[in-house]
Amino acid sequence: MSDAYFNRELSLLEFNKRVLHQAYNQNLPLLERLRFLCIFSTNLDEFFEVRVGGLLEVLERNAPPTTGPDGLALKETLDEISIRAHQLVHEQYQILNRELIPLLATEGIRVLRREEWSEAQVAYLQHYFHSDVLPVLSPIGLDPAHPFPRILNKSLNFIVRLDGKDAFGRNSGRAIVQVPRSLTHLVELPSALVEGGRAFVFISSIIHYFMAEIFVGMTVMECYQFRLTRNSDIFLDEEETEDLLRAVQGELVYRQYGDEVRLELTDTCPAELEQFLLERCEIKPRDLYRINGPVNLNRYSDLFELIKDARFYFKPFVQSMPKLPKRSSSYFDAIQRQDILLHHPFDSFQCVVDFLREAAADPQVLAIKQTLYRTGSNSPIVDALVAAAKAGKEVTAIVELRARFDEEQNVALAERLQRYGIHVIYGVVGFKTHAKMILVARREAEKLRYYVHLGTGNYHPRTSKIYTDYGLLTCDKEIGEDVYRIFLQLSSMGKASKMDALLYAPFTLHKGMVKRIRTERENAEQGKPARIIAKMNALYDLELVNELYAASQAGVQIDLIVRGVCQLLPGMAGLSENIRVRSIIGRFLEHHRVFYFENGGNPELFCSSADWMLRNMFHRVETCFPIRHKKIRERIMEDLELYLRDNTHAWLLQPDGAYVLARPGTDEEPVDAQATLLERWAAHN
């Protein structure tokens, strides 16, 4: 049944294709279209750093050839990745060159090429080069004393062909010049030197133009940009690691110099220099990407800070604070009256910060425990925990050091927390702590009451403005005691405790999902109503996919809203006719995980930190929490049904693995789920 499963890497490329397609969308503001092009670039970088890097690492071990459920062998997967990624990169630069650059120019925003500079602009940029650029350059002439350098991951470089001898009589004929990361990507030209509008120049263009002034006395024959991507995954043998913090710190040093996985090279570079770079960088021709434009298109993202004209961006909105129940004098009072649902980005993350700050200052609060996966620098959440520690509370933080690409920040966070006497725990060896939990223990009338925040997203103020997520504030006794047990287990090495309300990975979450899918199948077989709606970021778990296939064959109606990777293929005769899969790509990054089961007329609704992926189910600490409050349950169901009606930003997965953009029918009104949610937010505020 290999044709019944979608390859993970190819599915992820399909997701990036949907992101890229947003740059075509003429209904979006101009710089938002450019932003999606930049997001595509960073997504593709991470895809090569992590996914392709991991595949190449396995291939180099010379392990016996194996095939996945999709039927593709490892080398076949890499070959297919190369074909599709080359197509996407080609399309990316076509959009840039044929659509976005001309449109920017008509709006008076130009990034000038070297051949477009006037004499006055050249004079200005020459002064800038000598004052701000040349002092920080470190060109490397290639000779026996200076072999080909270890190129920094994702750094922008020039390969330079030279003629003549330097001051020491050397004549290697080649040199490498790295564009310093400390320099800005774009330099704006003074308005006096620009005829209307605004004009910018890439720092790389300045270095290229004045390259001869770096190699004085020699002739620069040719000069071409290139960029090398490396495997950036961190490997830790945790069984042999005595101090996880120090081990992560040590591995971070080597991240920039992992194995080579991709070479990007300007398409004007001649074959001889191309071959030289392929050999020195140890890159196969399959992994070479010829670029028709700026290498690393993400450098355009500097425009978003430089151009402030509101016409070019999404209409801004101010996040709201949730309306607390009447007669509530504090968050504790409000939560006692009823559970509070937070729907980000429409609801402000500030309420979570305020809840923590109130807990830190409240003399009745005895202890605060929290998981921290990604928090960002200068986090108000961390400030609140520090304030609580200073106020004499018992504060415990579970810090996940191995949150990919946030490791360095989390190491610094852990060290800061420890300085204030906060108990810092690095989770469980071999399992990432991905759950999003806050537990506040408060003494009330000689009893201890637990107040809890559970979320589907990170405790990160910035991402809360661009990711869709749910958060629940509750003092439900069973949920509070379950969260307490999880924190106790994470800190004490005890056995898994029985949960009263939560499903908990790696122990009960997978079993709980399988059980509920089977219940829907059994109900369908008995002629009872049976339905599943599941919203998540990724679906890649063979057992869950097969359970969904079996449920579909029994007649269960299944709607899956899967933003990214999806192993399951819907609409296949005799297998998945009753399954529909859609992906929403819009202004906000769809991030909440929500699972609905009809359950024979007694519906169950859960929110979770976990996707339906093998790693989340068995290799991470995750929580999945029930939504028990009737009005909150109705509100979330209303949101889910809205996503299922979206016919403007929804992509429908086909049986062959392709995605088709949904369009309104002749008698249908356009439905944009995210825009509708924004309108509802505005109407209530």
Side-chain angles (χ1 to χ4, degrees), residues 12-13 15-20 35-51 92 154 262 298 405 467 563 585 589:
L12 188 50
L13 279 178
F15 164 67
N16 285 317
K17 182 178 180 179
R18 300 194 292 279
V19 173
L20 178 62
R35 193 192 302 275
F36 275 109
L37 213 58
C38 293
I39 292 171
F40 170 81
S41 285
T42 56
N43 284 356
L44 205 60
D45 282 351
E46 184 172 337
F47 176 76
F48 277 94
E49 288 179 280
V50 177
R51 299 307 311 166
Q92 174 190 26
K154 295 188 296 185
R262 176 183 59 166
N298 193 48
F405 299 119
Y467 288 16
R563 186 192 77 215
I585 307 293
L589 183 78

Side-chain angles (χ1 to χ4, degrees), residues 434-437 454-456 472 479 482-483 486 499-505 508-510 512-513 516 593-597 604-612 616-617 621-627:
H434 192 249
K436 314 304 188 299
M437 308 180 292
L454 292 163
T456 66
L472 181 70
I479 291 177
D482 281 356
V483 172
I486 294 173
M499 297 287 129
D500 294 322
L502 300 188
L503 296 172
Y504 171 36
T508 61
L509 178 52
H510 193 264
M513 293 296 101
R516 284 163 176 80
R593 295 90 164 183
V594 187
F595 314 131
Y596 169 83
F597 303 93
E604 290 186 296
L605 183 68
F606 297 89
C607 291
S608 181
S609 62
D611 290 311
W612 283 5
N616 298 83
M617 297 294 172
V621 176
E622 305 271 17
T623 54
C624 181
F625 50 97
I627 302 299

Side-chain angles (χ1 to χ4, degrees), residues 324-335 337 358 442:
L324 302 182
K326 293 180 180 179
R327 299 185 299 280
S328 298
S329 59
S330 70
Y331 273 98
F332 296 117
D333 186 35
I335 296 168
R337 293 175 184 275
E358 186 178 322
R442 189 170 188 258

